[in-house]
Amino acid sequence: MATAEVTHEAHDDHGHHEDEGFFKKYLWSVDHKVIAVQYLVTGMAMAVIGGFFAYVFRMQLAFPGEAVPGFGIVSPAEYNALVTNHGTIMIFWVAMPVLIAAFGNFLIPLMVGCDDMVFPKINRLSYQIFLLSAIVLISSFFVEGGGFGGAWTAYPPLSAVSEYNLTPLGATLWVVAVALEFVAFLLGGINFITTAMNSRAPGMRLYDIPMAVWMIVVASILFMASVGPLIAGAIMLIFDQTLNTGFFDPAKGGDPVLWQHLFWFFGHPEVYVVLLPALGFVAEIITTFSRKPLFAYRTVLYTVFGTGILSFTVWAHHQFISGIDPRMAHIFTITTLLISVPIAEMMFVYIATLYKGSITLNTPMLWALAFIGEFLIGGVTGIFLGASGPDVFYHDTYFVLAHFHYTFFPIAIIGSFCGLTYWWPKMTGKMMNETLGKIHFWGTVIPFNVIFLPLFVLGQLGQHRRIYSYEGFGELMREDVWLGMGMQDMRVLATMALVVMLAFQVVFFVNVFITLRKKEKDAGPNPYNANSLEWLAPSPPGHGNFAELPTVYRGPYEYSHPDRKAKGTDFWPQWEKE
Amino acid sequence: MSPPRSTADLRVIDDPRPLPAVPSAVLGTLVFILTEIMMFAGMISAFQITRASAVLGWPPPGQPRLPADETLINTIALLLSGVALFWAGRRFERDRREARAPLLLAFALGAFFVVFQGVEWVALLRDGLSMTSSQHGAFFYLIVGTHGIHVIGALCVMAMVVQRHQQGRLASSTFQAMRVFWYFVVGVWPLLYTLVYL
């Protein structure tokens, strides 16, 4: 509480009233559900910005030098800034706030059966710092020199020396924004772990915690344990930029590869930080809609912890061509290939859960199944990159790019839509339109594959990343290389598919708008006949969540239990004694 | 104070849940310390790598040497502060009022550490050791400065604990969490001293 009490003192003079206005409610609320909505809305707004950036630079790649509708001519510096900030936004301001902060805040107190987070004021401070970090990042696009363009990995000396990156202010604001964002998630993570451990409803043992909560807790532990070195690195980078120190500058006796170690020591566990919550949502959805218990709950739990530990030993596979010792590369190849075993196991567990289930193919279930299928492609292509031999060729090609989009798109976009469509009735009390939901689903998933499958091929053909225009490279403009298409045709195809996919997002916003306009709250507390505690609370849950704190009698996945089937029902909620 | 928002924060008497094994305040602090340990680990490993690959030897020629002997006094002062706080904790559990003297002693020793270090920094800057003078200076101010900020922050919390204790409204879990954090700040220092000064 040492830190908690400090914030108590600092904010007490603001007081708290129940009938506050808009700004009071949305900037000073300590209710975990309001904070969840704040994170969700901010994250989705940032997703629109990040999606727009992708649209602009993909248009530049498809039609180099031509004016992009809605943006204009893209200069090389702008191209770099767009690519850099697309990556930064999508990971730190979309995947993290939506998957961990929004759903963690909304779900953890509801699913473990308590009325709020353990440290509500720290929670509020967390969102306020996050909002500040988003404002700092957005402001960095408008300063002199433009936004930072040294890639989201910010390798020095490019990121450290303003004579190289030509964005003296943009680069510093970028690092400051990322550092603030880390502070926000540190405060959030403390809450998530402590609440799940100490505030559970009576009767809820560790093995009765729903998988979504476990996954967010493990993800928070991973984040807390991995972010330290990057915070150290970020401080050193800011000093290099502003105080003229030489931590990463070889001219001053520094070591640029040092940054890569500090960055990827965080950067690789970060993949699992965002992956695990998405896997948790999928676990909830496939058990509910196949009416079966989660296959091997405890094994999954141990696997998650194992994956977390292993994820700290793989970071240097990002540096196979950075001059690390080849003997080290062998070790990191082995650990990297090892980590595909637990992830593959979880995929099999999910398929085993579906096996012989009574499956309902509604929108959340479609998203969950798409997650399994699409992430599988991302995982399998990762094996090529984790092995140091092939990686020498693939490094920094579009094969890498396509690979990590096949992991991050399922995580950040499909995973978010899994959670959003599944818990939407709980959040608003209203059911979404299924037809629009399915149109949006297919309109997102099909174009997604059309965008990134050609990019695997382009990567195989040696197309390098982070290039403004391929017109000057004859060997990257070849004709008739795949299915009768030339290399530039494939770039145009990918861009067109992106435009189609972005257009289909309108369907989602229309669906949200229609649902929110509906007068009647038609969801009821438990529209899916699901078992976990959040479905006991009214939809939407009021202040304090539950009329009275629930007691838990069993695990969260007791579907189709024979004793209950005899009574004519196929689910057995955690809160029902008999 | 607004009414308690969470039953975990201020436990209601008829709360049916068992008391947690580790109070929330302490658990939250421990999670925070995990991040802190990893942050210092990042700085220390960066320092070790840079030192090991220094071409001209370490510390670099022409750079001032660090006052290792004087800092030993300061190290002992900080360690004693940790002992005093441990003593305060023991007394607090027996009889709350008795904790005042060792608590003030711990605070005074901690404050002495910060002032001593400030004087040392002024002298080093005068001798020409700065963040830009060499990697040696850069890492010295980075690591020792980061630790110093932690000591100052922890002292602020300790001042709040002293005040609450005086007013008789110091929660046991708050004091416990504060102690855990101070033990971390004190415990990491001998490691930093050994690596950076010696």
Side-chain angles (χ1 to χ4, degrees), chain A residues 506-536:
Chain A
V506 174
V507 179
F508 173 73
F509 286 107
V510 168
N511 199 353
V512 165
F513 185 72
I514 292 176
T515 315
L516 290 178
R517 284 277 306 247
K518 270 201 298 198
K519 291 216 168 53
E520 158 206 23
K521 294 203 165 143
D522 53 352
N526 194 356
Y528 308 129
N529 291 339
N531 281 342
S532 43
L533 285 178
E534 80 270 29
W535 304 108
L536 169 65

mmCIF file of all heavy atoms in Angstrom, chain A residues 506-536:
data_model
loop_
_atom_site.group_PDB
_atom_site.id
_atom_site.type_symbol
_atom_site.label_atom_id
_atom_site.label_comp_id
_atom_site.label_asym_id
_atom_site.label_seq_id
_atom_site.Cartn_x
_atom_site.Cartn_y
_atom_site.Cartn_z
ATOM 1 N N VAL A 506 -16.695 -0.539 -41.079
ATOM 2 C CA VAL A 506 -17.852 0.342 -40.941
ATOM 3 C C VAL A 506 -19.052 -0.477 -40.461
ATOM 4 O O VAL A 506 -19.852 -0.008 -39.643
ATOM 5 C CB VAL A 506 -18.147 1.039 -42.291
ATOM 6 C CG1 VAL A 506 -19.433 1.840 -42.206
ATOM 7 C CG2 VAL A 506 -16.973 1.921 -42.686
ATOM 8 N N VAL A 507 -19.164 -1.719 -40.964
ATOM 9 C CA VAL A 507 -20.280 -2.584 -40.564
ATOM 10 C C VAL A 507 -20.281 -2.749 -39.043
ATOM 11 O O VAL A 507 -21.334 -2.713 -38.403
ATOM 12 C CB VAL A 507 -20.168 -3.958 -41.263
ATOM 13 C CG1 VAL A 507 -21.312 -4.859 -40.826
ATOM 14 C CG2 VAL A 507 -20.139 -3.792 -42.760
ATOM 15 N N PHE A 508 -19.085 -2.918 -38.483
ATOM 16 C CA PHE A 508 -18.999 -3.088 -37.030
ATOM 17 C C PHE A 508 -19.494 -1.842 -36.297
ATOM 18 O O PHE A 508 -20.287 -1.935 -35.355
ATOM 19 C CB PHE A 508 -17.554 -3.399 -36.625
ATOM 20 C CG PHE A 508 -17.341 -3.428 -35.141
ATOM 21 C CD1 PHE A 508 -17.813 -4.475 -34.375
ATOM 22 C CD2 PHE A 508 -16.691 -2.381 -34.499
ATOM 23 C CE1 PHE A 508 -17.638 -4.490 -33.008
ATOM 24 C CE2 PHE A 508 -16.511 -2.391 -33.126
ATOM 25 C CZ PHE A 508 -16.984 -3.448 -32.384
ATOM 26 N N PHE A 509 -19.039 -0.685 -36.760
ATOM 27 C CA PHE A 509 -19.453 0.536 -36.063
ATOM 28 C C PHE A 509 -20.957 0.772 -36.226
ATOM 29 O O PHE A 509 -21.603 1.265 -35.307
ATOM 30 C CB PHE A 509 -18.625 1.729 -36.558
ATOM 31 C CG PHE A 509 -17.211 1.703 -36.033
ATOM 32 C CD1 PHE A 509 -16.142 1.378 -36.852
ATOM 33 C CD2 PHE A 509 -16.959 1.975 -34.703
ATOM 34 C CE1 PHE A 509 -14.851 1.328 -36.347
ATOM 35 C CE2 PHE A 509 -15.667 1.932 -34.190
ATOM 36 C CZ PHE A 509 -14.614 1.600 -35.021
ATOM 37 N N VAL A 510 -21.505 0.408 -37.407
ATOM 38 C CA VAL A 510 -22.957 0.513 -37.594
ATOM 39 C C VAL A 510 -23.656 -0.404 -36.591
ATOM 40 O O VAL A 510 -24.632 -0.009 -35.926
ATOM 41 C CB VAL A 510 -23.331 0.127 -39.047
ATOM 42 C CG1 VAL A 510 -24.840 -0.060 -39.173
ATOM 43 C CG2 VAL A 510 -22.843 1.193 -40.008
ATOM 44 N N ASN A 511 -23.136 -1.613 -36.432
ATOM 45 C CA ASN A 511 -23.723 -2.571 -35.497
ATOM 46 C C ASN A 511 -23.702 -2.021 -34.071
ATOM 47 O O ASN A 511 -24.695 -2.091 -33.342
ATOM 48 C CB ASN A 511 -22.949 -3.887 -35.593
ATOM 49 C CG ASN A 511 -23.728 -5.065 -35.030
ATOM 50 O OD1 ASN A 511 -24.796 -4.872 -34.452
ATOM 51 N ND2 ASN A 511 -23.189 -6.251 -35.196
ATOM 52 N N VAL A 512 -22.561 -1.445 -33.692
ATOM 53 C CA VAL A 512 -22.442 -0.859 -32.358
ATOM 54 C C VAL A 512 -23.468 0.258 -32.190
ATOM 55 O O VAL A 512 -24.173 0.339 -31.184
ATOM 56 C CB VAL A 512 -21.011 -0.313 -32.146
ATOM 57 C CG1 VAL A 512 -20.961 0.615 -30.943
ATOM 58 C CG2 VAL A 512 -20.036 -1.455 -31.972
ATOM 59 N N PHE A 513 -23.571 1.102 -33.222
ATOM 60 C CA PHE A 513 -24.476 2.250 -33.155
ATOM 61 C C PHE A 513 -25.920 1.772 -33.012
ATOM 62 O O PHE A 513 -26.662 2.236 -32.137
ATOM 63 C CB PHE A 513 -24.290 3.091 -34.429
ATOM 64 C CG PHE A 513 -25.072 4.363 -34.426
ATOM 65 C CD1 PHE A 513 -24.707 5.423 -33.609
ATOM 66 C CD2 PHE A 513 -26.186 4.495 -35.242
ATOM 67 C CE1 PHE A 513 -25.434 6.590 -33.607
ATOM 68 C CE2 PHE A 513 -26.913 5.668 -35.240
ATOM 69 C CZ PHE A 513 -26.542 6.721 -34.425
ATOM 70 N N ILE A 514 -26.316 0.806 -33.865
ATOM 71 C CA ILE A 514 -27.695 0.294 -33.810
ATOM 72 C C ILE A 514 -27.982 -0.305 -32.437
ATOM 73 O O ILE A 514 -29.027 -0.051 -31.824
ATOM 74 C CB ILE A 514 -27.898 -0.778 -34.906
ATOM 75 C CG1 ILE A 514 -27.850 -0.137 -36.288
ATOM 76 C CG2 ILE A 514 -29.224 -1.491 -34.702
ATOM 77 C CD1 ILE A 514 -27.951 -1.148 -37.408
ATOM 78 N N THR A 515 -27.018 -1.089 -31.929
ATOM 79 C CA THR A 515 -27.241 -1.745 -30.643
ATOM 80 C C THR A 515 -27.414 -0.723 -29.527
ATOM 81 O O THR A 515 -28.299 -0.855 -28.690
ATOM 82 C CB THR A 515 -26.036 -2.644 -30.309
ATOM 83 O OG1 THR A 515 -25.684 -3.370 -31.476
ATOM 84 C CG2 THR A 515 -26.368 -3.599 -29.206
ATOM 85 N N LEU A 516 -26.549 0.294 -29.538
ATOM 86 C CA LEU A 516 -26.636 1.280 -28.459
ATOM 87 C C LEU A 516 -27.932 2.071 -28.539
ATOM 88 O O LEU A 516 -28.435 2.549 -27.534
ATOM 89 C CB LEU A 516 -25.425 2.220 -28.511
ATOM 90 C CG LEU A 516 -24.088 1.584 -28.118
ATOM 91 C CD1 LEU A 516 -22.963 2.597 -28.262
ATOM 92 C CD2 LEU A 516 -24.123 1.054 -26.696
ATOM 93 N N ARG A 517 -28.489 2.214 -29.754
ATOM 94 C CA ARG A 517 -29.724 2.975 -29.916
ATOM 95 C C ARG A 517 -30.945 2.185 -29.439
ATOM 96 O O ARG A 517 -31.993 2.766 -29.183
ATOM 97 C CB ARG A 517 -29.906 3.344 -31.399
ATOM 98 C CG ARG A 517 -29.011 4.469 -31.866
ATOM 99 C CD ARG A 517 -29.603 5.826 -31.540
ATOM 100 N NE ARG A 517 -30.954 5.953 -32.048
ATOM 101 C CZ ARG A 517 -31.309 6.798 -33.024
ATOM 102 N NH1 ARG A 517 -30.424 7.576 -33.563
ATOM 103 N NH2 ARG A 517 -32.566 6.875 -33.437
ATOM 104 N N LYS A 518 -30.801 0.855 -29.398
ATOM 105 C CA LYS A 518 -31.947 0.030 -28.992
ATOM 106 C C LYS A 518 -32.427 0.456 -27.607
ATOM 107 O O LYS A 518 -31.611 0.631 -26.699
ATOM 108 C CB LYS A 518 -31.538 -1.442 -28.932
ATOM 109 C CG LYS A 518 -31.738 -2.184 -30.224
ATOM 110 C CD LYS A 518 -31.817 -3.690 -30.028
ATOM 111 C CE LYS A 518 -30.581 -4.330 -29.465
ATOM 112 N NZ LYS A 518 -30.507 -5.773 -29.662
ATOM 113 N N LYS A 519 -33.732 0.595 -27.455
ATOM 114 C CA LYS A 519 -34.260 1.049 -26.175
ATOM 115 C C LYS A 519 -34.248 -0.067 -25.141
ATOM 116 O O LYS A 519 -33.889 0.124 -23.989
ATOM 117 C CB LYS A 519 -35.676 1.565 -26.373
ATOM 118 C CG LYS A 519 -35.695 2.868 -27.172
ATOM 119 C CD LYS A 519 -36.773 3.813 -26.678
ATOM 120 C CE LYS A 519 -36.583 5.187 -27.272
ATOM 121 N NZ LYS A 519 -36.488 5.166 -28.759
ATOM 122 N N GLU A 520 -34.643 -1.256 -25.619
ATOM 123 C CA GLU A 520 -34.902 -2.327 -24.669
ATOM 124 C C GLU A 520 -33.606 -3.094 -24.377
ATOM 125 O O GLU A 520 -32.817 -3.375 -25.289
ATOM 126 C CB GLU A 520 -35.973 -3.227 -25.313
ATOM 127 C CG GLU A 520 -36.044 -4.605 -24.815
ATOM 128 C CD GLU A 520 -36.607 -5.559 -25.860
ATOM 129 O OE1 GLU A 520 -36.532 -5.263 -27.085
ATOM 130 O OE2 GLU A 520 -37.093 -6.591 -25.451
ATOM 131 N N LYS A 521 -33.374 -3.406 -23.120
ATOM 132 C CA LYS A 521 -32.202 -4.207 -22.752
ATOM 133 C C LYS A 521 -32.610 -5.668 -22.838
ATOM 134 O O LYS A 521 -33.238 -6.218 -21.938
ATOM 135 C CB LYS A 521 -31.745 -3.850 -21.341
ATOM 136 C CG LYS A 521 -31.239 -2.419 -21.308
ATOM 137 C CD LYS A 521 -30.298 -2.162 -20.169
ATOM 138 C CE LYS A 521 -29.566 -0.842 -20.438
ATOM 139 N NZ LYS A 521 -29.311 -0.039 -19.294
ATOM 140 N N ASP A 522 -32.248 -6.307 -23.958
ATOM 141 C CA ASP A 522 -32.806 -7.615 -24.249
ATOM 142 C C ASP A 522 -31.877 -8.759 -23.867
ATOM 143 O O ASP A 522 -32.171 -9.907 -24.147
ATOM 144 C CB ASP A 522 -33.149 -7.718 -25.741
ATOM 145 C CG ASP A 522 -31.966 -7.360 -26.630
ATOM 146 O OD1 ASP A 522 -30.942 -6.900 -26.092
ATOM 147 O OD2 ASP A 522 -32.053 -7.546 -27.844
ATOM 148 N N ALA A 523 -30.728 -8.455 -23.264
ATOM 149 C CA ALA A 523 -29.765 -9.533 -23.037
ATOM 150 C C ALA A 523 -30.097 -10.351 -21.786
ATOM 151 O O ALA A 523 -29.998 -11.573 -21.803
ATOM 152 C CB ALA A 523 -28.358 -8.967 -22.905
ATOM 153 N N GLY A 524 -30.524 -9.704 -20.718
ATOM 154 C CA GLY A 524 -30.700 -10.449 -19.474
ATOM 155 C C GLY A 524 -29.358 -10.771 -18.884
ATOM 156 O O GLY A 524 -28.322 -10.587 -19.533
ATOM 157 N N PRO A 525 -29.322 -11.257 -17.635
ATOM 158 C CA PRO A 525 -28.022 -11.459 -17.001
ATOM 159 C C PRO A 525 -27.199 -12.562 -17.671
ATOM 160 O O PRO A 525 -25.985 -12.462 -17.710
ATOM 161 C CB PRO A 525 -28.365 -11.823 -15.557
ATOM 162 C CG PRO A 525 -29.817 -12.109 -15.534
ATOM 163 C CD PRO A 525 -30.453 -11.485 -16.724
ATOM 164 N N ASN A 526 -27.830 -13.598 -18.211
ATOM 165 C CA ASN A 526 -27.039 -14.735 -18.699
ATOM 166 C C ASN A 526 -27.545 -15.207 -20.053
ATOM 167 O O ASN A 526 -28.152 -16.270 -20.176
ATOM 168 C CB ASN A 526 -27.104 -15.870 -17.670
ATOM 169 C CG ASN A 526 -26.058 -16.924 -17.924
ATOM 170 O OD1 ASN A 526 -25.326 -16.856 -18.916
ATOM 171 N ND2 ASN A 526 -25.981 -17.908 -17.050
ATOM 172 N N PRO A 527 -27.284 -14.438 -21.125
ATOM 173 C CA PRO A 527 -27.865 -14.781 -22.428
ATOM 174 C C PRO A 527 -27.323 -16.073 -23.036
ATOM 175 O O PRO A 527 -27.995 -16.670 -23.862
ATOM 176 C CB PRO A 527 -27.488 -13.583 -23.298
ATOM 177 C CG PRO A 527 -26.294 -13.001 -22.645
ATOM 178 C CD PRO A 527 -26.462 -13.234 -21.181
ATOM 179 N N TYR A 528 -26.117 -16.491 -22.646
ATOM 180 C CA TYR A 528 -25.529 -17.683 -23.278
ATOM 181 C C TYR A 528 -25.651 -18.923 -22.398
ATOM 182 O O TYR A 528 -25.071 -19.955 -22.719
ATOM 183 C CB TYR A 528 -24.038 -17.469 -23.555
ATOM 184 C CG TYR A 528 -23.672 -16.216 -24.303
ATOM 185 C CD1 TYR A 528 -22.698 -15.364 -23.814
ATOM 186 C CD2 TYR A 528 -24.276 -15.903 -25.515
ATOM 187 C CE1 TYR A 528 -22.331 -14.219 -24.494
ATOM 188 C CE2 TYR A 528 -23.916 -14.757 -26.206
ATOM 189 C CZ TYR A 528 -22.944 -13.922 -25.691
ATOM 190 O OH TYR A 528 -22.573 -12.802 -26.372
ATOM 191 N N ASN A 529 -26.338 -18.827 -21.264
ATOM 192 C CA ASN A 529 -26.332 -19.926 -20.293
ATOM 193 C C ASN A 529 -24.897 -20.327 -19.948
ATOM 194 O O ASN A 529 -24.515 -21.505 -20.060
ATOM 195 C CB ASN A 529 -27.106 -21.141 -20.798
ATOM 196 C CG ASN A 529 -28.588 -20.853 -20.856
ATOM 197 O OD1 ASN A 529 -29.075 -19.940 -20.179
ATOM 198 N ND2 ASN A 529 -29.302 -21.601 -21.666
ATOM 199 N N ALA A 530 -24.100 -19.356 -19.580
ATOM 200 C CA ALA A 530 -22.701 -19.615 -19.262
ATOM 201 C C ALA A 530 -22.536 -19.741 -17.748
ATOM 202 O O ALA A 530 -23.438 -19.412 -16.985
ATOM 203 C CB ALA A 530 -21.825 -18.494 -19.795
ATOM 204 N N ASN A 531 -21.366 -20.230 -17.328
ATOM 205 C CA ASN A 531 -21.175 -20.638 -15.946
ATOM 206 C C ASN A 531 -20.460 -19.639 -15.060
ATOM 207 O O ASN A 531 -20.599 -19.686 -13.846
ATOM 208 C CB ASN A 531 -20.337 -21.926 -15.906
ATOM 209 C CG ASN A 531 -21.174 -23.138 -16.213
ATOM 210 O OD1 ASN A 531 -22.393 -23.083 -16.128
ATOM 211 N ND2 ASN A 531 -20.523 -24.219 -16.565
ATOM 212 N N SER A 532 -19.605 -18.783 -15.638
ATOM 213 C CA SER A 532 -18.718 -18.006 -14.772
ATOM 214 C C SER A 532 -19.483 -16.836 -14.134
ATOM 215 O O SER A 532 -20.581 -16.479 -14.551
ATOM 216 C CB SER A 532 -17.490 -17.542 -15.535
ATOM 217 O OG SER A 532 -17.851 -17.072 -16.808
ATOM 218 N N LEU A 533 -18.855 -16.257 -13.106
ATOM 219 C CA LEU A 533 -19.583 -15.369 -12.195
ATOM 220 C C LEU A 533 -20.101 -14.089 -12.835
ATOM 221 O O LEU A 533 -21.062 -13.511 -12.362
ATOM 222 C CB LEU A 533 -18.671 -14.989 -11.015
ATOM 223 C CG LEU A 533 -18.455 -16.065 -9.966
ATOM 224 C CD1 LEU A 533 -17.506 -15.564 -8.909
ATOM 225 C CD2 LEU A 533 -19.765 -16.478 -9.341
ATOM 226 N N GLU A 534 -19.442 -13.621 -13.911
ATOM 227 C CA GLU A 534 -19.907 -12.346 -14.476
ATOM 228 C C GLU A 534 -21.335 -12.466 -14.980
ATOM 229 O O GLU A 534 -22.053 -11.471 -15.058
ATOM 230 C CB GLU A 534 -18.960 -11.852 -15.570
ATOM 231 C CG GLU A 534 -19.106 -12.485 -16.948
ATOM 232 C CD GLU A 534 -18.232 -13.700 -17.115
ATOM 233 O OE1 GLU A 534 -17.958 -14.362 -16.099
ATOM 234 O OE2 GLU A 534 -17.828 -14.001 -18.250
ATOM 235 N N TRP A 535 -21.797 -13.685 -15.272
ATOM 236 C CA TRP A 535 -23.154 -13.857 -15.794
ATOM 237 C C TRP A 535 -24.194 -13.892 -14.683
ATOM 238 O O TRP A 535 -25.379 -14.009 -14.953
ATOM 239 C CB TRP A 535 -23.222 -15.114 -16.662
ATOM 240 C CG TRP A 535 -22.220 -15.070 -17.771
ATOM 241 C CD1 TRP A 535 -21.082 -15.806 -17.872
ATOM 242 C CD2 TRP A 535 -22.228 -14.214 -18.917
ATOM 243 N NE1 TRP A 535 -20.382 -15.471 -19.006
ATOM 244 C CE2 TRP A 535 -21.061 -14.492 -19.673
ATOM 245 C CE3 TRP A 535 -23.102 -13.219 -19.384
ATOM 246 C CZ2 TRP A 535 -20.749 -13.834 -20.852
ATOM 247 C CZ3 TRP A 535 -22.785 -12.568 -20.573
ATOM 248 C CH2 TRP A 535 -21.627 -12.875 -21.291
ATOM 249 N N LEU A 536 -23.739 -13.819 -13.444
ATOM 250 C CA LEU A 536 -24.692 -13.685 -12.334
ATOM 251 C C LEU A 536 -25.099 -12.224 -12.151
ATOM 252 O O LEU A 536 -26.241 -11.923 -11.812
ATOM 253 C CB LEU A 536 -24.043 -14.213 -11.046
ATOM 254 C CG LEU A 536 -24.755 -13.937 -9.726
ATOM 255 C CD1 LEU A 536 -26.093 -14.655 -9.690
ATOM 256 C CD2 LEU A 536 -23.907 -14.412 -8.550
#
